[in-house]
Each structure stands twice: as structure tokens, then as C-alpha cells.
Amino acid sequence: MSNLLKNIVDFLPKMAFRQLISISSAIFLALHVSAQVKIDENGDIESTEIIIEKNKKITFPEAPRKFEKIPPAPKKNTVEPKEYTYKEFQTPLPDLESKIKIATIKDELSSRKKNNYVRAGAGNYFTSYFEGQLLYKTNPKFQTGLHARHFGAMRGPVKNSGNSSNLIEGNAKYFFKKSILSGSLHYTRSAINYYGYNQSLKNNNDSKFQDSIYQVYQQFHATAELKQIDTLTKKQYYFRANYYTFGNRYKNSENEVEALGFVGYEIDPESKIRINGNLSASNYSDSSGSLPRYLFNVKPEYERKLLDNKLIARGGINFAYDNDTLQSTKRIHVYPTVHLDYELLPKLHALAGVDGGMEKNTYRQYATQNPFLGLNPLLLHTNKRYEFYGGFEGNISPTINFKSLLSYANYQNMSVYVNGVADSSRFDVFYAKNASVLKLRTDLGYEPSQALKIGLRATYFHYQTDTISHAWHRPAFDATAYVNYNMFNKLWFSAEAYYLAGIKAKNYQSGNEYTLDDIIDINLSANYKINERFSVFLYFYNILAQKYERYYQYPVRGITIVGGLTYTF
């Protein structure tokens, strides 16, 4: 054990390790002191609904879905569940779909009697914004809705850096006694320019050149979902089916059918079983031909409470099948999974486990994450051979919660972005055949009331790769903080801050390597309700006016200000 700890310590740079250990030690000491205070078991602890949604990976590639955990029977000293709302920081474009903007609309409309609205605004860089929503209930059991959004800017930080994003979607829900059946149709269109070229060497006003750097992505997405209402019954289930068709103006296209879900059964108050599964069948085509791809996962698990319900142990086997054979002839993969949750003190739990699985990578995912992607990218799924993790989770007080995990994982075919060989303004996807990742992540949440919510997430990464010298365009440190405040259902204020450091890039056309400047991005938003019909909003993006580069050669806009009016009916 001592040799293992020594290896982990040597694996971290000394300065970063000392800082992180100091932070973790302070948190643990605060927990130990607060744990001696008796907290009334009838305190105001709210139940939390875990929302199942598709992840666009955020952070090192995560599984496409985190299935909803089957809630255990109520226990006297349980850690208060919290729904973390962090998302991976991706700003190759200046916040086309701002997390602040979306959250603010939801919070503001929740205080109104009607949720139909039209919202319009404008800002500098010739920015235009429009959004509208219509909800219609034919009866208490059936609801339909229509939603549309446009956000675009004609200008950017340099010549030919304008962009736009458009969305229109419709949905329907039918409420059964014990479940909800829903379906939706989505269409999105995004337009960008490959403006990461050496602008002193090009004729920016030449129409042929402007057409050559213009890119449009379009996506159609249909989904059907069956979700259980009562999550405390013995029988548990969830099912979802997706269909995607995604393409660009250069005839790169991808179609995917995806099915996922789980079934579970409580054998007795101390034990339960569960089977998770997902299937992806896609076909990618470009100028060189077509590539059919399949990925199937099924994970049966058994969970049992031990030691007078102080220990929850869950174990199983994850079976995976894929047909990516370019760098591996093995199609069937088997991974053991173990998760342990032990109650050390009231409101303090120790966590440990091992996991593994195949992680899906598609053309749609890559182009959504980095729209400056080049043509004909290499597509491979990522094989997480294993991941060992351990840490703590708990409540410092009824209003403060935390979770801290240290993990070590090994990956096959870990993807990175590099500036292309043929054109450095477009990115290629490279893979590390063998990569090890040490990660320390800490989440803190403070929610003294429904009106005020504060959160912080900090993650440190250390990569070791074989076939590539660095994990290009992956940060070594990633931190996110947010504050949401509702003043008497009249004024809504939100702030989000992002910090990324240690991003390295390589231009394969020149062969040069670069360390990008640290990123500090702060966004603010405010909404003021004039009356039940009208409200005004004002958004500030990148208020420090840093024209940083999340991807090499692509600076973002400086401070962007957007204001406008909302009409609710």
C-alpha cells in the first residue's frame, strides 16, 4: 500500500499535489467538526429528482448516459442528494447557447402563471437573438410544445469570424398513472467560418476564399422516452430511443439509431438487481466511402446493504461489443464493476470502486464539440480499460455539500484535437493508443435557500500518453463556479466563471508545439420582471474581454453585451 501511495504522489507534480491535498484536508477537517453537531433528522432536506439526459461529454469523455440511481430505502443518516449542474466548458464560439441564458429563462418563467413567451434582443458584434415557446394542454394528461431559438453574430474578433445557431423543436407528453411517455423532434442549423488562418497572407474579401472557409452543420433528431414517475417502487425501468442524422455542406454525414435504458427489481429491503443497456448503430459517409459502426453495452448489477445498512455494495460485469477494428482486433470486452459506499459518520460517506467500459465517439459528437473540425476525421470508440476511484461525499451543514474523488484510469484510443497537416485552420482527430489519466475532482455546493444557489467544481488532470507527446487541447486544470440569485421573483441574477490552464497545442503543418494562455471567462446575466407580461434582460459575456484561444489559432470575441425584452402570454 505504501508503494502504491508513493507512486501516485510521484505521478503528480509536487506543487499541484500539495495545493490539492491542502484543500482536501481543510474540507475533511471541517466535516469532522461539523459531524459532531446533532442535526435534526426532520430538517428541511429536499428530495432531488435526478434528470436523465444525454451528455456531451463533458471533461474526459464520459459514458453517453448516467442512468438514474434507484433510490435506497430512507436511512436515518443519509447524505443529502444534490443535483450538480456543471457542464464542460466549450467556447470555440462565444457562447452560442449560453448556460446562463437558458437557466435564467427557466427560473424566470417558473414564477409566472403561463410559460408561453417570445424573447428578442440585440448586442454588439451585430449580435441578434430571438427565442419563443408555446405550450398547449388539451387535457390534464396530454401536453404539446413548440420551441425555437436563433443566436448569431455577423462579426467576431477577426475578419470572417461571424457565426449563427438556429433551433426549432416540438415535443409531446402523455401522463399515465405511473409513467410519462414523451416524444420530440429537433432541427438545428449552425454556420461558422474557418477563420483560424494567417490573415495577413489571405485576401479576406475574395468571394471564392470566403466560400471555401464557410461551413454549415445541420442535424435532425427524433426521440421517444418512457420514464417512470414513482421511483420508490420495487420495479424500476427507463427506456429511450434516439435517431440522429447529421451532416455538413461538404457532404460528410452520419446517421445513428440509439436505444438505451435499464430495468431493476428490489428483491428485499437490503438487496436489488439492475440491468443497464445501450445500443448504437451508426453509418458515417464522406468522399472516401461509408463506414458502418456498432456499439453495444449491457451491464447487470447486484446491490446489497451490509453492516446494519452502513455499507452499500454494488457489483456487476459490463459486457461491450464494437466493430472498430482499425487499431484493435478485439470486439468483445468484459469489465468488472464494483462500487462501495460506506457511512463513516453521520452525513459523511467514503466512496471507492472500479469501473470500465466502451465510450462512444461519433462524427456528430466531435463536430459539436469542435466545429472547426476538418473533413474525413478518423472515428474510433474509446476503450476505458479500467478506472479505480476513491473519495468522500457529505454535508458540512444542511446547506453545504461536497464530493471529492481521486481516480486513475487507463484508456485505449483517447481522442485529441490537433491543427491539421493539410490545413492548419482545420482540426484533425488523433488518438493515444494507450493513455493513463490521474484525476482529482472536488464539487462544493451551497444552497441556503431556494433564492440563492452557489456551486464550485475544480478538476486536476495528469496525462501519460504513448503515441502522442501530449494530450493536445485537453486542460490540466479546469474550474467552474456559478451563482444564481432570485430576488423576490422580481429580479434574477446569474454569474458563471470558468478557468482553464495547461492546454497544449500542436500544429502538424509546421511541427511547432504551443502552450496556450490560461483562460478566465466570466459571464453575467440579469432579468427584471416589469409585470406578468413583460420583462427585460441584459447579458454580459466574457466581461474581462480576454480574446483567449480554446483551440489554437481561434481567438474568441471580447466582451459581448446583449439586451432585450421578453413578452409572456
Side-chain angles (χ1 to χ4, degrees):
M1 179 61 71
S2 61
N3 292 332
L4 177 60
L5 292 175
K6 184 178 183 300
N7 291 336
I8 291 178
V9 172
D10 292 339
F11 196 53
L12 282 166
K14 293 183 179 179
M15 182 61 68
F17 179 78
R18 290 171 182 170
Q19 293 173 345
L20 290 169
I21 291 301
S22 298
I23 295 171
S24 299
S25 299
I27 293 172
F28 183 81
L29 288 173
L31 282 168
H32 182 74
V33 173
S34 64
Q36 309 305 317
V37 180
K38 185 177 181 180
I39 299 174
D40 187 354
E41 65 180 354
N42 296 321
D44 295 329
I45 298 178
E46 299 177 356
S47 61
T48 299
E49 179 185 359
I50 299 176
I51 300 173
I52 302 173
E53 59 180 10
K54 188 173 180 64
N55 176 26
K56 354 148 327 274
K57 313 250 164 242
I58 45 167
T59 56
F60 189 82
E62 299 177 352
R65 173 170 297 280
K66 294 183 178 179
F67 291 105
E68 184 179 5
K69 182 179 178 182
I70 301 175
K75 196 166 58 171
K76 182 176 181 179
N77 292 316
T78 59
V79 175
E80 179 182 357
K82 289 290 180 181
E83 180 185 336
Y84 292 100
T85 58
Y86 303 95
K87 298 182 181 179
E88 183 182 3
F89 177 66
Q90 299 172 1
T91 55
L93 304 178
D95 293 307
L96 286 185
E97 297 183 19
S98 167
K99 292 175 285 296
I100 295 179
K101 177 178 62 180
I102 296 173
T104 304
I105 292 174
K106 180 179 178 181
D107 291 342
E108 177 189 344
L109 293 177
S110 64
S111 69
R112 298 178 181 268
K113 297 179 180 180
K114 297 183 178 180
N115 287 336
N116 299 325
Y117 68 89
V118 175
R119 169 173 288 197
N124 58 332
Y125 292 104
F126 290 91
T127 299
S128 57
Y129 166 51
F130 170 82
E131 186 165 1
Q133 174 176 282
L134 291 173
L135 295 179
Y136 179 67
K137 277 190 175 183
T138 57
N139 59 64
K141 291 187 176 182
F142 186 67
Q143 174 183 298
T144 58
L146 182 66
H147 175 236
R149 183 174 67 247
H150 160 79
F151 196 94
M154 296 177 63
R155 295 182 180 178
V158 296
K159 187 76 173 181
N160 294 322
S161 55
N163 54 271
S164 67
S165 177
N166 299 280
L167 162 71
I168 183 169
E169 56 188 349
N171 61 77
K173 290 184 179 182
Y174 189 85
F175 299 87
F176 294 98
K177 185 177 181 179
K178 297 183 178 181
S179 61
I180 302 174
L181 178 63
S182 61
S184 59
L185 299 174
H186 312 258
Y187 171 76
T188 59
R189 182 186 186 276
S190 299
I192 59 103
N193 290 300
Y194 294 102
Y195 63 90
Y197 56 86
N198 185 345
Q199 300 214 353
S200 65
L201 302 178
K202 298 290 184 179
N203 183 1
N204 294 337
N205 296 318
D206 182 76
S207 60
K208 290 185 178 180
F209 172 73
Q210 290 179 345
D211 182 71
S212 69
I213 65 172
Y214 182 60
Q215 177 65 287
V216 175
Y217 295 103
Q218 297 186 79
Q219 174 180 286
F220 174 78
H221 174 206
T223 180
E225 179 183 75
L226 181 62
K227 182 177 181 180
Q228 195 171 13
I229 296 176
D230 186 0
T231 59
L232 297 177
T233 61
K234 286 191 173 183
K235 297 179 181 179
Q236 298 286 307
Y237 59 86
Y238 172 81
F239 303 102
R240 182 183 177 96
N242 296 298
Y243 172 74
Y244 300 92
T245 178
F246 183 87
N248 64 24
R249 71 184 294 250
Y250 294 99
K251 308 303 181 184
N252 296 69
S253 64
E254 181 180 65
N255 298 313
E256 181 189 7
V257 176
E258 180 185 50
L260 51 116
F262 68 82
V263 291
Y265 181 73
E266 183 182 283
I267 301 173
D268 54 52
E270 283 74 40
S271 60
K272 62 186 68 174
I273 57 174
R274 177 172 172 144
I275 301 176
N276 302 318
N278 63 76
L279 170 67
S280 171
S282 63
N283 187 76
Y284 170 77
S285 62
D286 56 30
S287 59
S288 62
S290 62
L291 175 67
R293 307 176 69 222
Y294 306 97
L295 177 61
F296 174 70
N297 283 279
V298 60
K299 182 166 69 172
E301 291 182 310
Y302 174 75
E303 179 180 300
R304 185 162 183 84
K305 299 175 184 177
L306 304 167
L307 304 178
D308 195 24
N309 291 343
K310 285 185 173 294
L311 174 64
I312 299 177
R314 184 172 68 247
I317 299 178
N318 188 3
F319 299 94
Y321 169 85
D322 77 291
N323 68 335
D324 282 343
T325 58
L326 182 61
Q327 297 188 27
S328 173
T329 58
K330 187 178 180 181
R331 294 192 173 191
I332 299 177
H333 311 267
V334 180
Y335 313 87
T337 64
V338 176
H339 178 77
L340 302 175
D341 182 335
Y342 181 73
E343 183 185 293
L344 294 172
L345 297 168
K347 305 296 182 180
L348 176 61
H349 287 216
L351 308 173
V354 60
D355 196 7
M358 292 297 297
E359 298 179 348
K360 183 177 68 174
N361 295 318
T362 65
Y363 175 63
R364 182 188 76 255
Q365 289 173 317
Y366 285 145
T368 300
Q369 186 181 56
N370 183 352
F372 308 113
L373 191 68
L375 303 180
N376 309 332
L378 176 63
L379 299 178
L380 294 172
H381 298 306
T382 297
N383 180 8
K384 185 169 73 173
R385 294 188 176 106
Y386 57 82
E387 180 179 27
F388 296 95
Y389 61 88
F392 301 94
E393 179 180 33
N395 297 107
I396 300 176
S397 72
T399 60
I400 302 176
N401 63 90
F402 97 107
K403 184 176 183 179
S404 185
L405 285 178
L406 176 67
S407 65
Y408 179 82
N410 181 266
Y411 295 85
Q412 179 186 29
N413 299 332
M414 185 188 79
S415 62
V416 299
Y417 297 115
V418 298
N419 295 79
V421 177
D423 184 351
S424 63
S425 68
R426 307 188 186 202
F427 289 86
D428 293 334
V429 180
F430 279 23
Y431 295 88
K433 188 174 181 180
N434 184 70
S436 297
V437 182
L438 184 68
K439 180 171 68 174
L440 177 59
R441 189 181 82 184
T442 297
D443 296 305
L444 288 172
Y446 175 58
E447 190 174 333
S449 67
Q450 287 295 314
L452 178 62
K453 299 178 182 179
I454 301 174
L456 171 67
R457 164 174 288 180
T459 309
Y460 172 81
F461 302 90
H462 186 81
Y463 299 95
Q464 285 187 336
T465 56
D466 57 353
T467 53
I468 54 178
S469 55
H470 295 285
W472 307 114
H473 283 103
R474 289 182 178 272
F477 185 77
D478 181 350
T480 303
Y482 73 87
V483 177
N484 294 323
Y485 182 63
N486 176 357
M487 183 181 293
F488 309 119
N489 285 332
K490 192 74 173 179
L491 175 65
W492 290 261
F493 172 81
S494 297
E496 288 189 350
Y498 304 93
Y499 176 72
L500 283 82
I503 301 175
K504 295 182 179 295
K506 183 168 184 176
N507 186 333
Y508 270 79
Q509 190 177 66
S510 65
N512 295 329
E513 299 180 4
Y514 307 89
T515 298
L516 303 186
D517 292 339
D518 292 357
I519 294 173
I520 302 177
D521 189 292
I522 300 176
N523 305 320
L524 303 175
S525 74
N527 284 261
Y528 178 74
K529 184 169 70 173
I530 301 172
N531 53 44
E532 288 299 323
R533 294 288 187 181
F534 292 97
S535 63
V536 293
F537 63 88
L538 189 62
Y539 304 137
F540 297 87
Y541 304 122
N542 192 13
I543 63 173
L544 298 182
Q546 282 195 334
K547 293 187 177 181
Y548 57 81
E549 297 180 358
R550 178 60 181 90
Y551 297 107
Y552 178 62
Q553 297 183 168
Y554 280 90
V556 302
R557 294 182 179 91
I559 184 171
T560 303
I561 304 174
V562 179
L565 181 70
T566 302
Y567 174 70
T568 307
F569 57 97

